[in-house]
Amino acid sequence: MSGSTRKPNVLLVMADQLAPHFTGAYEHPLVRTPAMDSLVERGARFDSAYCPSPLCAPSRFAMMTGQPVSAIGAWDNAAELPASVPTLAHYLRRAGYRTTLSGKMHFVGPDQLHGFERRLTTDIYPADFAWTPQWQLSGDRIDKWYHGMDSLAEAGRASATYQIDYDEEVGFAAVRHLYDMARDRDDRPFFLVASFIHPHDPYVARPEWWDLYDHDHIDLPDVPPEDSLDPHTRRIRRGIQVESIGYDEPGCRNARHAYYANTSYFDSWLGALLRTLDETGQLDETVVIVTSDHGDMLGDRGTWFKMSFFERSARVPLIMAGPDIVQRTVPNACSLLDLLPTLLDAAAGGGVGPELAEPPAGRSLWESAAGGRDPVDETTCEYMAEMTTQPMFMIRRGRHKYIHCDTDPPLLYDLEADPLERVNLAGDPDHAGLSAAFAAEVGQRWDSGAIREQVLTSQRTRQLIHDAMETGERTSWDYAPVRDAANEFVRNHMDWDVVGPRYRLPASG
């Protein structure tokens, strides 16, 4: 790229549950994200990027495969990604890339690599079927793994949490791997994913990040009247215990304070990775992408976390910088579904990309990132997990967003006139034609009844398998990182005069 025929490296840095609205890079007045800001200053910021599904595993599976949730059965956080479905890592590996994952990807099932040559860490969440929702028992709350108001009750400062421990390991491993790739003789380009858990709840931050912010200045959400809330928001509020346990203004402020702090913490690891690329001479030949799997409502509509199609839940940051990428903002609606064709275009370097097993659901954003025009301004989103008993669908096209569920009234919003999505236009006579057209399109795109039966069958099957695997001797699918300690650092079978110079960056002399 940039006059070279060498394929660019790719560094994909992921946050978890980070809404772009709560970053300095997307112009939040309080939240400090200097590393993200630096990428915006030299790269492309996509201002209407969405997740394929507002939940961790489905969104990530769809991103990695370039296929929607309904096409690969990625229904929820306990759905298996089949080993037979090609991923971005498979395609890039086949195209000559070293493929490495550090951190979370929420793979469920015995295949914990899905095309990555190496995983540097284990995952933070379980790889089995334990988190399978049961639509037939939709009124039951599963306290072991459902989100709840304890995340707000516990919000605040701490020196260590399991999430901090995890991200410290993820970041350290990713930085060290960048150094190792600069040291070795493998001249293949790399695809490295560094995937962190912050700012995902529970909302607890280390003191140095908490203290970046004046607690009294933390902004609070503008909550509409409860009687104006749509049925799905009410279901979420019941499921996460807002309506039974509730929360108060101090808890809300604490949660948002910690979320902002942990966003800055995530950004600090992005900064460390960028510094390492610079120190190893790889920055100018690396495409850097920052995104998240979904957002966080963070109190909007009196609800929290994700699981809905409203902007703070479904929107994600998407920033690209590197060779051939220009400084610009892109307003077009797009999705994480578009990352696979985008990165395959980037890897092709203007040539022909790899042969695909099937056409991707998304489109390449490479032309947009490089300064060209994208004639498409639309994307879709799906949800088939907890807090509902019916498939849910979203279409975003131009300024409008349409949301459909068979058991709920339709929702239609004009995001330019109504960015907080407070006015449902689906029943407005002036928008009757548009609403009807969207409804017809939903019926053409998705067979909701058939999808529901697939979900129910999958839930029953996975629950049976999980119950069986919990009986007798347990076999874990959780990934165990492999280390070859006998060949690390300095060992007696090595020449110390060779090992020292090899590890030193930059080389002496």
Side-chain angles (χ1 to χ4, degrees):
M1 310 292 289
S2 297
S4 171
T5 57
R6 186 184 188 277
K7 297 176 180 178
N9 303 315
V10 178
L11 172 63
L12 174 59
V13 185
M14 290 194 71
D16 196 313
Q17 206 160 293
L18 176 58
H21 311 77
F22 306 118
T23 69
Y26 281 82
E27 300 172 13
H28 190 281
L30 295 179
V31 185
R32 303 178 191 180
T33 53
M36 292 175 68
D37 297 351
S38 72
L39 293 179
V40 172
E41 290 169 2
R42 65 182 181 90
R45 187 186 77 183
F46 291 79
D47 286 357
S48 299
Y50 290 84
C51 62
S53 184
L55 197 66
C56 300
S59 181
R60 292 164 184 268
F61 295 0
M63 178 192 75
M64 287 297 298
T65 62
Q67 299 298 328
V69 167
S70 57
I72 56 175
W75 313 119
D76 51 62
N77 276 343
E80 180 182 7
L81 177 60
S84 58
V85 179
T87 71
L88 178 58
H90 285 117
Y91 287 124
L92 288 178
R93 185 172 177 176
R94 197 167 178 228
Y97 276 73
R98 292 177 281 181
T99 57
T100 307
L101 169 62
S102 181
K104 177 184 176 181
M105 199 52 72
H106 211 140
F107 289 144
V108 175
D111 185 354
Q112 287 293 304
L113 291 174
H114 288 287
F116 288 103
E117 287 182 73
R118 296 184 61 190
R119 286 193 73 170
L120 307 181
T121 73
T122 190
D123 214 307
I124 193 168
Y125 289 152
D128 60 17
F129 294 152
W131 291 7
T132 304
Q134 297 185 60
W135 281 6
Q136 303 285 32
L137 301 173
S138 60
D140 293 355
R141 175 180 165 79
I142 305 173
D143 285 321
K144 187 174 182 180
W145 56 268
Y146 266 33
H147 288 270
M149 288 299 95
D150 52 343
S151 285
L152 275 71
E154 299 168 3
R157 299 192 300 177
S159 297
T161 66
Y162 71 89
Q163 295 198 154
I164 294 171
D165 287 356
Y166 187 75
D167 276 355
E168 291 292 302
E169 180 178 345
V170 170
F172 170 83
V175 166
R176 179 173 173 179
H177 190 64
L178 286 175
Y179 283 124
D180 286 346
M181 288 190 292
R183 291 177 176 127
D184 66 29
R185 295 188 178 92
D186 190 335
D187 62 357
R188 291 179 297 163
F190 66 75
F191 173 52
L192 171 61
V193 179
S195 185
F196 299 86
I197 186 64
H198 284 97
H200 191 290
D201 65 289
Y203 306 112
V204 181
R206 275 191 56 85
E208 64 267 31
W209 302 108
W210 177 277
D211 292 344
L212 278 179
Y213 297 93
D214 184 328
H215 188 68
D216 293 334
H217 290 170
I218 298 299
D219 54 324
L220 297 175
D222 174 27
V223 180
E226 188 173 336
D227 60 7
S228 70
L229 300 177
D230 62 285
H232 185 59
T233 296
R234 290 179 178 275
R235 288 194 292 268
I236 294 173
R237 282 167 54 89
R238 285 194 297 271
I240 66 174
Q241 303 174 309
V242 170
E243 296 188 353
S244 57
I245 295 177
Y247 63 92
D248 55 18
E249 183 175 307
C252 179
R253 193 181 299 274
N254 282 340
R256 289 169 72 98
H257 187 157
Y259 185 95
Y260 295 174
N262 284 331
T263 297
S264 294
Y265 170 63
F266 161 75
D267 185 79
S268 74
W269 273 117
L270 171 61
L273 292 164
L274 294 175
R275 284 193 300 275
T276 306
L277 285 175
D278 190 32
E279 289 174 359
T280 55
Q282 301 176 101
L283 183 61
D284 291 340
E285 55 192 35
T286 301
V287 172
V288 179
I289 299 176
V290 179
T291 192
S292 179
D293 50 0
H294 50 74
D296 191 322
M297 292 297 286
L298 217 59
D300 186 36
R301 282 179 162 73
T303 190
W304 296 79
F305 321 126
K306 54 269 189 173
M307 301 171 286
S308 88
F309 295 136
F310 292 112
E311 290 289 277
R312 282 155 182 76
S313 167
R315 278 268 308 279
V316 295
L318 182 59
I319 304 168
M320 302 183 191
D324 291 352
I325 298 174
V326 303
Q327 198 284 322
R328 68 178 310 197
T329 57
V330 182
N332 301 54
C334 60
S335 166
L336 295 181
L337 284 171
D338 302 323
L339 271 188
L340 185 146
T342 299
L343 289 182
L344 295 188
D345 267 4
V352 178
E355 180 183 355
L356 302 183
E358 56 184 321
R363 67 189 190 276
S364 174
L365 305 176
W366 188 247
E367 182 71 17
S368 291
R373 178 182 175 273
D374 185 354
V376 181
D377 186 12
E378 66 178 38
T379 194
T380 60
C381 194
E382 306 173 338
Y383 186 74
M384 294 91 169
E386 58 265 23
M387 314 297 176
T388 183
T389 60
Q390 298 284 340
M392 302 183 67
F393 312 105
M394 182 200 89
I395 300 172
R396 167 72 197 273
R397 179 174 297 118
R399 64 191 294 166
H400 292 105
K401 177 194 287 186
Y402 185 79
I403 298 171
H404 173 90
C405 178
D406 283 355
T407 56
D408 299 342
L411 303 175
L412 175 64
Y413 297 100
D414 181 338
L415 296 179
E416 288 187 17
D418 179 28
L420 291 178
E421 301 166 289
R422 299 296 193 246
V423 181
N424 179 15
L425 301 174
D428 179 4
D430 292 340
H431 293 82
L434 179 61
S435 184
F438 272 125
E441 183 176 345
V442 167
Q444 293 167 357
R445 283 180 176 268
W446 295 284
D447 184 338
S448 183
I451 291 173
R452 186 173 191 272
E453 288 305 312
Q454 288 179 275
V455 173
L456 289 169
T457 300
S458 174
Q459 289 177 355
R460 288 192 296 267
T461 302
R462 286 180 284 144
Q463 191 63 55
L464 184 152
I465 291 171
H466 176 68
D467 290 346
M469 291 182 68
E470 290 292 291
T471 304
E473 186 174 341
R474 187 174 184 275
T475 300
S476 174
W477 290 336
D478 298 307
Y479 185 72
V482 177
R483 288 187 64 175
D484 183 10
N487 287 296
E488 290 183 352
F489 301 110
V490 178
R491 299 293 183 257
N492 281 331
H493 64 280
M494 301 175 183
D495 185 333
W496 290 24
D497 292 333
V498 173
V499 171
R502 177 182 174 274
Y503 272 84
R504 179 167 176 164
L505 284 172
S508 61

